[in-house]
Amino acid sequence: MSVQRALLTAIAIAVAAGILPSMYLLDRRIAAELRERSRSELKMAVPVLQDRARSLADAVMMRSDDMARVEGLSEAVAAGDSATAIALLDSARAGLGEESILVDAGATVWTGPEAARVLLEATAAGGKPVRITSGGAGAPRMIGLAPIRSGEEWLGAAGLTLPINQSVAAGLAGRTRSAVTLVRSDGRVASSTLEPEIAAALAEWSAGAGSADTVTSVEVSGTELLTVVADFGGGVRAIFSRSAQEELAVLPQLRRMAAVSAAAALLIALVLGAALATALARPARELAAAADRLAGGDFDAPLQPTRIRELGVLARAFDYMRRRLQDRLRDLEAANEELAAGQERLALLQAELIQRERAAAAGRLVAEVAHEIRNPVASLRNCLEVLRRRLEGDDEGVAFADLAIGELMRMHDLAEQILDLNRPRDEPSGQVADVDSVVRQIAALQELGGREGLRTDVHAGLKVAMPEHRLKQILLNVVRNAREASGPGAPVDLTARGANGAVRLVVEDRGPGFEPDVLRRALEPFFTTKKVAGGAGLGLFVAASIARKSGGSIQLGQRADGRGACVTITIPMAPAGEDRAVPEADPEDAP
């Protein structure tokens, strides 16, 4: 037998052994409780009967008093006019089955049943008696009389009789939720809500019944009745009864519900048992599958939690081993990535070092060349000036001389710019430039030049450790290049932020951006993309050289949205307490 089948069999036996005895005991207990509740409710029928009898007597007394006071009745009785008196009483009746009674002072009954002499005597004494009579062939009646007086003289009595019939029995049955049988004093059934045969048998049995506080079980026509007998008054007895079978009628339904519940409980137990049996085997299968996937390099094979302690310990140990192995592999990958990143940084540093050495060599070379060119250029300019003065009157010759002098001046300016890059400067230390002030000057220069205004966003109080004219020279070169790349009407953004001991100035344009081959050479001297404008290719080179001399750098890149170039200038922030600004340099000192 498999573990699953053995477990299901044990569960079925345990459930049956636990449920069946409980169902039997519960059935017996419910039956006893239902019988006891019926007995208690039947006992409560006696005070209900007494209340009903008192309320009927009060109603009859009040109605009798009202009829005795009908206007004109006393005059008709005093005059002996029976017809008028009877007509007045009949008009005052409610028509609910009652019957009028009219008796004169001589005890002569003018209408209605003959009233007992004791009632007449009580009425003559000024009372308003109410009695129940069960004699005669008709239903028992409740009789009420009230005196008819003319001043202090008693003229007779008037009242009514109310039959104690089927409607009274039905009212009592509704109030007590039981069957009601009214029995005369002679043992005959007056009215009942039961079948005539059962009512007659109960009437016969009630002749020897006990007190009203005793509930008795009576077998009538094969039916068990729980009964209690109470006195209605005037010799009339009321028998309240309930069928034991009807009171216990809910038991079969409860038994069916209990059987269904037991079956459902057994089914649920079997399903849970099957799930438990499956849960015993599933973790082992999953561990085997996870081990196979781990061997293939998959570290994410799921391990479902289990409530079985031993299997849970095994699963946690396997998962711990798997995670530790995965961590070791991740550490190895991280180390490889760090090594690759270090190699990449080393390559970049080597490339930058080579570029700096190349730029330094090129700078020295061009400085020597520029120095050697500047003196002959100056001599040629002097010669051309002499020739120009001698060509007075020759317009064409003067024009050519001016053209030659202009080209020589351009060569002289270029040589001066090249020399300025490598010319030692005796600048005092501790010089500080106010970034916000310099940016405002750059923006003003752009507007004076007839260009679109520069959009700036500068944090207040930023200061850098370099002369102000040097910062302006860097920004002028970078902004001019951005303006030319963006084209007419396109905005140029300049932002400045301070962080980690440095100030970052970012210039963004809306131009085509840097091509990959341009990005690699943009900081080299004499490299330019301005084929039409004829640029010298020294703007970014000069700006980068000034920034490096101040301990900063310039980085070239693309805008975040890819629509234009982005130049980031990083310059060390001025130390706290140093705010000595340097005045603007002489024009001849600028490149």
Side-chain angles (χ1 to χ4, degrees), residues 452-456 478-479 482-484 486 490-494 507-510:
E452 185 75 18
L454 181 66
R455 300 194 306 191
T456 62
V478 175
V479 171
R483 181 71 67 189
E484 293 172 353
S486 298
V492 173
D493 298 324
L494 193 157
V507 179
E508 296 180 320
D509 60 40
R510 300 299 191 278

PDB file of all heavy atoms in Angstrom, residues 452-456 478-479 482-484 486 490-494 507-510:
ATOM      1  N   GLU A 452      21.426  86.319 -30.184  1.00  0.00           N
ATOM      2  CA  GLU A 452      20.334  85.913 -29.291  1.00  0.00           C
ATOM      3  C   GLU A 452      20.869  85.838 -27.857  1.00  0.00           C
ATOM      4  O   GLU A 452      22.013  85.415 -27.629  1.00  0.00           O
ATOM      5  CB  GLU A 452      19.798  84.545 -29.717  1.00  0.00           C
ATOM      6  CG  GLU A 452      18.589  84.088 -28.925  1.00  0.00           C
ATOM      7  CD  GLU A 452      17.338  84.837 -29.336  1.00  0.00           C
ATOM      8  OE1 GLU A 452      17.334  85.434 -30.435  1.00  0.00           O
ATOM      9  OE2 GLU A 452      16.377  84.834 -28.559  1.00  0.00           O
ATOM     10  N   GLY A 453      20.103  86.298 -26.865  1.00  0.00           N
ATOM     11  CA  GLY A 453      20.545  86.311 -25.479  1.00  0.00           C
ATOM     12  C   GLY A 453      20.931  84.930 -24.983  1.00  0.00           C
ATOM     13  O   GLY A 453      20.322  83.927 -25.343  1.00  0.00           O
ATOM     14  N   LEU A 454      21.960  84.854 -24.150  1.00  0.00           N
ATOM     15  CA  LEU A 454      22.428  83.593 -23.572  1.00  0.00           C
ATOM     16  C   LEU A 454      21.542  83.242 -22.367  1.00  0.00           C
ATOM     17  O   LEU A 454      21.351  84.053 -21.473  1.00  0.00           O
ATOM     18  CB  LEU A 454      23.879  83.735 -23.142  1.00  0.00           C
ATOM     19  CG  LEU A 454      24.542  82.496 -22.524  1.00  0.00           C
ATOM     20  CD1 LEU A 454      24.661  81.393 -23.545  1.00  0.00           C
ATOM     21  CD2 LEU A 454      25.911  82.867 -21.962  1.00  0.00           C
ATOM     22  N   ARG A 455      21.005  82.020 -22.326  1.00  0.00           N
ATOM     23  CA  ARG A 455      20.164  81.573 -21.209  1.00  0.00           C
ATOM     24  C   ARG A 455      21.073  81.007 -20.122  1.00  0.00           C
ATOM     25  O   ARG A 455      21.791  80.029 -20.348  1.00  0.00           O
ATOM     26  CB  ARG A 455      19.163  80.514 -21.657  1.00  0.00           C
ATOM     27  CG  ARG A 455      18.237  81.031 -22.748  1.00  0.00           C
ATOM     28  CD  ARG A 455      17.047  80.140 -22.961  1.00  0.00           C
ATOM     29  NE  ARG A 455      17.405  78.754 -23.204  1.00  0.00           N
ATOM     30  CZ  ARG A 455      16.531  77.829 -23.621  1.00  0.00           C
ATOM     31  NH1 ARG A 455      15.273  78.172 -23.841  1.00  0.00           N
ATOM     32  NH2 ARG A 455      16.921  76.590 -23.833  1.00  0.00           N
ATOM     33  N   THR A 456      21.038  81.638 -18.939  1.00  0.00           N
ATOM     34  CA  THR A 456      21.945  81.260 -17.856  1.00  0.00           C
ATOM     35  C   THR A 456      21.175  80.799 -16.636  1.00  0.00           C
ATOM     36  O   THR A 456      20.056  81.225 -16.387  1.00  0.00           O
ATOM     37  CB  THR A 456      22.849  82.453 -17.463  1.00  0.00           C
ATOM     38  OG1 THR A 456      22.023  83.518 -16.979  1.00  0.00           O
ATOM     39  CG2 THR A 456      23.651  82.934 -18.651  1.00  0.00           C
ATOM     40  N   VAL A 478      34.264  78.914 -25.493  1.00  0.00           N
ATOM     41  CA  VAL A 478      33.293  77.819 -25.536  1.00  0.00           C
ATOM     42  C   VAL A 478      31.932  78.319 -26.018  1.00  0.00           C
ATOM     43  O   VAL A 478      31.281  77.696 -26.864  1.00  0.00           O
ATOM     44  CB  VAL A 478      33.184  77.164 -24.145  1.00  0.00           C
ATOM     45  CG1 VAL A 478      32.090  76.097 -24.157  1.00  0.00           C
ATOM     46  CG2 VAL A 478      34.506  76.537 -23.748  1.00  0.00           C
ATOM     47  N   VAL A 479      31.488  79.485 -25.492  1.00  0.00           N
ATOM     48  CA  VAL A 479      30.177  80.013 -25.890  1.00  0.00           C
ATOM     49  C   VAL A 479      30.178  80.400 -27.362  1.00  0.00           C
ATOM     50  O   VAL A 479      29.197  80.203 -28.082  1.00  0.00           O
ATOM     51  CB  VAL A 479      29.789  81.200 -24.984  1.00  0.00           C
ATOM     52  CG1 VAL A 479      28.558  81.902 -25.516  1.00  0.00           C
ATOM     53  CG2 VAL A 479      29.543  80.711 -23.552  1.00  0.00           C
ATOM     54  N   ALA A 482      29.729  77.319 -29.334  1.00  0.00           N
ATOM     55  CA  ALA A 482      28.355  76.826 -29.218  1.00  0.00           C
ATOM     56  C   ALA A 482      27.395  77.676 -30.033  1.00  0.00           C
ATOM     57  O   ALA A 482      26.466  77.159 -30.683  1.00  0.00           O
ATOM     58  CB  ALA A 482      27.933  76.814 -27.741  1.00  0.00           C
ATOM     59  N   ARG A 483      27.609  78.999 -30.004  1.00  0.00           N
ATOM     60  CA  ARG A 483      26.742  79.891 -30.774  1.00  0.00           C
ATOM     61  C   ARG A 483      26.856  79.620 -32.272  1.00  0.00           C
ATOM     62  O   ARG A 483      25.869  79.544 -33.000  1.00  0.00           O
ATOM     63  CB  ARG A 483      27.114  81.333 -30.449  1.00  0.00           C
ATOM     64  CG  ARG A 483      26.279  82.369 -31.160  1.00  0.00           C
ATOM     65  CD  ARG A 483      24.876  82.398 -30.618  1.00  0.00           C
ATOM     66  NE  ARG A 483      24.878  82.877 -29.240  1.00  0.00           N
ATOM     67  CZ  ARG A 483      23.819  82.851 -28.464  1.00  0.00           C
ATOM     68  NH1 ARG A 483      22.687  82.351 -28.917  1.00  0.00           N
ATOM     69  NH2 ARG A 483      23.883  83.293 -27.224  1.00  0.00           N
ATOM     70  N   GLU A 484      28.114  79.451 -32.760  1.00  0.00           N
ATOM     71  CA  GLU A 484      28.318  79.192 -34.177  1.00  0.00           C
ATOM     72  C   GLU A 484      27.764  77.827 -34.588  1.00  0.00           C
ATOM     73  O   GLU A 484      27.257  77.657 -35.694  1.00  0.00           O
ATOM     74  CB  GLU A 484      29.807  79.285 -34.503  1.00  0.00           C
ATOM     75  CG  GLU A 484      30.372  80.700 -34.348  1.00  0.00           C
ATOM     76  CD  GLU A 484      31.882  80.727 -34.490  1.00  0.00           C
ATOM     77  OE1 GLU A 484      32.479  79.625 -34.575  1.00  0.00           O
ATOM     78  OE2 GLU A 484      32.461  81.832 -34.503  1.00  0.00           O
ATOM     79  N   SER A 486      25.149  76.317 -33.146  1.00  0.00           N
ATOM     80  CA  SER A 486      23.686  76.305 -33.053  1.00  0.00           C
ATOM     81  C   SER A 486      23.031  76.993 -34.229  1.00  0.00           C
ATOM     82  O   SER A 486      21.931  76.641 -34.650  1.00  0.00           O
ATOM     83  CB  SER A 486      23.242  76.975 -31.745  1.00  0.00           C
ATOM     84  OG  SER A 486      23.733  76.268 -30.642  1.00  0.00           O
ATOM     85  N   ALA A 490      19.000  80.045 -32.468  1.00  0.00           N
ATOM     86  CA  ALA A 490      18.947  78.863 -31.596  1.00  0.00           C
ATOM     87  C   ALA A 490      19.491  79.213 -30.223  1.00  0.00           C
ATOM     88  O   ALA A 490      20.500  79.925 -30.117  1.00  0.00           O
ATOM     89  CB  ALA A 490      19.744  77.717 -32.204  1.00  0.00           C
ATOM     90  N   PRO A 491      18.873  78.739 -29.140  1.00  0.00           N
ATOM     91  CA  PRO A 491      19.324  79.094 -27.794  1.00  0.00           C
ATOM     92  C   PRO A 491      20.584  78.348 -27.381  1.00  0.00           C
ATOM     93  O   PRO A 491      20.840  77.237 -27.846  1.00  0.00           O
ATOM     94  CB  PRO A 491      18.145  78.697 -26.912  1.00  0.00           C
ATOM     95  CG  PRO A 491      17.498  77.589 -27.661  1.00  0.00           C
ATOM     96  CD  PRO A 491      17.664  77.913 -29.121  1.00  0.00           C
ATOM     97  N   VAL A 492      21.355  78.982 -26.510  1.00  0.00           N
ATOM     98  CA  VAL A 492      22.517  78.357 -25.882  1.00  0.00           C
ATOM     99  C   VAL A 492      22.325  78.475 -24.373  1.00  0.00           C
ATOM    100  O   VAL A 492      22.027  79.562 -23.868  1.00  0.00           O
ATOM    101  CB  VAL A 492      23.826  79.032 -26.329  1.00  0.00           C
ATOM    102  CG1 VAL A 492      25.003  78.480 -25.531  1.00  0.00           C
ATOM    103  CG2 VAL A 492      24.056  78.837 -27.820  1.00  0.00           C
ATOM    104  N   ASP A 493      22.480  77.365 -23.650  1.00  0.00           N
ATOM    105  CA  ASP A 493      22.263  77.321 -22.203  1.00  0.00           C
ATOM    106  C   ASP A 493      23.598  77.226 -21.487  1.00  0.00           C
ATOM    107  O   ASP A 493      24.489  76.445 -21.874  1.00  0.00           O
ATOM    108  CB  ASP A 493      21.391  76.123 -21.823  1.00  0.00           C
ATOM    109  CG  ASP A 493      20.019  76.211 -22.446  1.00  0.00           C
ATOM    110  OD1 ASP A 493      19.511  77.334 -22.552  1.00  0.00           O
ATOM    111  OD2 ASP A 493      19.482  75.154 -22.829  1.00  0.00           O
ATOM    112  N   LEU A 494      23.756  78.020 -20.409  1.00  0.00           N
ATOM    113  CA  LEU A 494      24.952  77.971 -19.567  1.00  0.00           C
ATOM    114  C   LEU A 494      24.490  77.824 -18.122  1.00  0.00           C
ATOM    115  O   LEU A 494      23.784  78.682 -17.589  1.00  0.00           O
ATOM    116  CB  LEU A 494      25.791  79.242 -19.738  1.00  0.00           C
ATOM    117  CG  LEU A 494      27.222  79.205 -19.154  1.00  0.00           C
ATOM    118  CD1 LEU A 494      28.097  80.236 -19.847  1.00  0.00           C
ATOM    119  CD2 LEU A 494      27.239  79.455 -17.652  1.00  0.00           C
ATOM    120  N   VAL A 507      27.880  74.126 -20.846  1.00  0.00           N
ATOM    121  CA  VAL A 507      27.392  74.907 -21.987  1.00  0.00           C
ATOM    122  C   VAL A 507      26.772  73.917 -22.980  1.00  0.00           C
ATOM    123  O   VAL A 507      27.465  72.989 -23.434  1.00  0.00           O
ATOM    124  CB  VAL A 507      28.527  75.719 -22.645  1.00  0.00           C
ATOM    125  CG1 VAL A 507      27.996  76.496 -23.846  1.00  0.00           C
ATOM    126  CG2 VAL A 507      29.165  76.655 -21.632  1.00  0.00           C
ATOM    127  N   GLU A 508      25.491  74.128 -23.311  1.00  0.00           N
ATOM    128  CA  GLU A 508      24.773  73.235 -24.217  1.00  0.00           C
ATOM    129  C   GLU A 508      24.237  74.042 -25.384  1.00  0.00           C
ATOM    130  O   GLU A 508      23.660  75.131 -25.194  1.00  0.00           O
ATOM    131  CB  GLU A 508      23.620  72.540 -23.502  1.00  0.00           C
ATOM    132  CG  GLU A 508      24.071  71.610 -22.392  1.00  0.00           C
ATOM    133  CD  GLU A 508      22.914  70.930 -21.692  1.00  0.00           C
ATOM    134  OE1 GLU A 508      21.896  71.631 -21.467  1.00  0.00           O
ATOM    135  OE2 GLU A 508      23.009  69.745 -21.386  1.00  0.00           O
ATOM    136  N   ASP A 509      24.425  73.494 -26.584  1.00  0.00           N
ATOM    137  CA  ASP A 509      23.905  74.172 -27.780  1.00  0.00           C
ATOM    138  C   ASP A 509      22.866  73.306 -28.449  1.00  0.00           C
ATOM    139  O   ASP A 509      22.532  72.217 -27.968  1.00  0.00           O
ATOM    140  CB  ASP A 509      25.052  74.526 -28.744  1.00  0.00           C
ATOM    141  CG  ASP A 509      25.808  73.280 -29.216  1.00  0.00           C
ATOM    142  OD1 ASP A 509      25.155  72.258 -29.490  1.00  0.00           O
ATOM    143  OD2 ASP A 509      27.055  73.338 -29.316  1.00  0.00           O
ATOM    144  N   ARG A 510      22.336  73.778 -29.558  1.00  0.00           N
ATOM    145  CA  ARG A 510      21.311  73.049 -30.318  1.00  0.00           C
ATOM    146  C   ARG A 510      21.828  72.709 -31.714  1.00  0.00           C
ATOM    147  O   ARG A 510      21.075  72.635 -32.666  1.00  0.00           O
ATOM    148  CB  ARG A 510      20.032  73.895 -30.450  1.00  0.00           C
ATOM    149  CG  ARG A 510      19.378  74.274 -29.131  1.00  0.00           C
ATOM    150  CD  ARG A 510      18.949  73.041 -28.337  1.00  0.00           C
ATOM    151  NE  ARG A 510      18.112  73.387 -27.207  1.00  0.00           N
ATOM    152  CZ  ARG A 510      18.566  73.805 -26.036  1.00  0.00           C
ATOM    153  NH1 ARG A 510      19.882  73.939 -25.853  1.00  0.00           N
ATOM    154  NH2 ARG A 510      17.746  74.102 -25.043  1.00  0.00           N
TER     155      ARG A 510
END
